[in-house]
Amino acid sequence: SAVISQKPSRDICQRGTSLTIQCQVDSQVTMMFWYRQQPGQSLTLIATANQGSEATYESGFVIDKFPISRPNLTFSTLTVSNMSPEDSSIYLCSADGGISYNEQFFGPGTRLTVL
Amino acid sequence: AQSVAQPEDQVNVAEGNPLTVKCTYSVSGNPYLFWYVQYPNRGLQFLLKYITGDNLVKGSYGFEAEFNKSQTSFHLKKPSALVSDSALYFCAVRDYYGGSQGNLIFGKGTKLSVKP
């Protein structure tokens, strides 16, 4: 299994600013994913990030708002740009199980509050 | 399109009693099914999965789930609940169709509350 860490664990930000969330995996993985979990809601997939290619965004999410980097097989970043209070959520990084793509493992999440 | 439904927002059980958290799914091809648990202020932890084979799948912490193809269900069960099992449980499905896998889609979650 993969162990995933995220930084920061939480942050409080002002409207109009941007925050970059870092995700580190303890082993090489093919695919990494970013999810949003709004208060009391389920997880919604934002985008899938493969190393060496542009991220693939789900409907309702755009690169200008949520730029993603994937510089190598163990690391990814998600930036939440020009934030508004509606962006207040938990952002979760996830990675496939390496050899066993069937499983996905999740980081502890980043709790973002936008004032 | 694939989807997953968890019909109960909350399940309440007494400690020591059996518990069931329900999940039904809809896919175009073959389903890959998963259960995750989320404790307060924590990320998601993988509990168990069904890919193929035996319909009864055993996972972490004494949980098990039964795949029922005719009813398109994958209910999570435990014979004897513990107070420490209280958490938010998510069912998830991935569609395997046409030789490729879809994204992991989550249900809305079911809050399990186990009382002493």
Side-chain angles (χ1 to χ4, degrees), chain A residues 25-87:
Chain A
V25 188
D26 70 342
S27 58
Q28 293 185 345
V29 293
T30 302
M31 301 181 74
M32 296 182 71
F33 310 86
W34 287 97
Y35 287 82
R36 182 174 71 184
Q37 185 180 20
Q38 294 181 304
Q41 303 288 320
S42 184
L43 282 74
T44 301
L45 180 63
I46 297 172
T48 302
N50 290 334
Q51 192 253 344
S53 63
E54 284 195 6
T56 302
Y57 290 82
E58 297 301 304
S59 176
F61 298 96
V62 295
I63 188 172
D64 290 346
K65 176 67 176 178
F66 297 101
I68 289 171
S69 78
R70 179 79 197 274
N72 57 50
L73 291 174
T74 64
F75 187 78
S76 177
T77 67
L78 170 75
T79 299
V80 186
S81 303
N82 188 24
M83 289 184 285
S84 66
E86 291 72 34
D87 294 320

Side-chain angles (χ1 to χ4, degrees), chain A residues 10 31 33 35 37 40-45 48 58 90 92 100-109 111, chain B residues 6 32 34 36 38 40-46 49 51 88 90 94 101-109:
Chain A
R10 59 177 62 226
M31 301 181 74
F33 310 86
Y35 287 82
Q37 185 180 20
Q41 303 288 320
S42 184
L43 282 74
T44 301
L45 180 63
T48 302
E58 297 301 304
I90 299 173
L92 291 139
S100 173
Y101 169 64
N102 296 317
E103 292 179 28
Q104 275 182 230
F105 299 93
F106 287 81
R111 185 179 293 272
Chain B
Q6 294 180 244
Y32 292 0
F34 306 84
Y36 289 84
Q38 186 177 36
N41 301 312
R42 303 276 295 275
L44 268 69
Q45 294 181 32
F46 170 79
K49 68 179 179 182
I51 305 299
L88 189 57
F90 289 98
R94 172 177 284 137
Q101 297 191 45
N103 290 319
L104 194 61
I105 302 299
F106 285 86
K108 65 178 181 178

Side-chain angles (χ1 to χ4, degrees), chain B:
Chain B
Q2 60 193 59
S3 65
V4 57
Q6 294 180 244
E8 302 152 317
D9 291 335
Q10 181 155 344
V11 170
N12 300 311
V13 298
E15 187 174 33
N17 284 359
L19 69 88
T20 298
V21 183
K22 296 180 180 177
C23 172
T24 59
Y25 66 89
S26 175
V27 297
S28 300
N30 294 315
Y32 292 0
L33 295 154
F34 306 84
W35 276 101
Y36 289 84
V37 59
Q38 186 177 36
Y39 296 99
N41 301 312
R42 303 276 295 275
L44 268 69
Q45 294 181 32
F46 170 79
L47 276 180
L48 52 79
K49 68 179 179 182
Y50 171 83
I51 305 299
T52 186
D54 195 344
N55 289 345
L56 184 64
V57 178
K58 295 187 183 297
S60 307
Y61 313 120
F63 284 93
E64 59 187 30
E66 186 167 13
F67 171 62
N68 188 318
K69 187 173 183 178
S70 63
Q71 296 185 8
T72 61
S73 67
F74 190 58
H75 302 330
L76 181 70
K77 299 181 180 183
K78 187 173 182 180
S80 179
L82 300 173
V83 173
S84 57
D85 292 330
S86 299
L88 189 57
Y89 290 80
F90 289 98
C91 181
V93 65
R94 172 177 284 137
D95 196 356
Y96 190 85
Y97 182 74
S100 63
Q101 297 191 45
N103 290 319
L104 194 61
I105 302 299
F106 285 86
K108 65 178 181 178
T110 299
K111 182 179 180 181
L112 175 65
S113 178
V114 182
K115 301 295 185 185

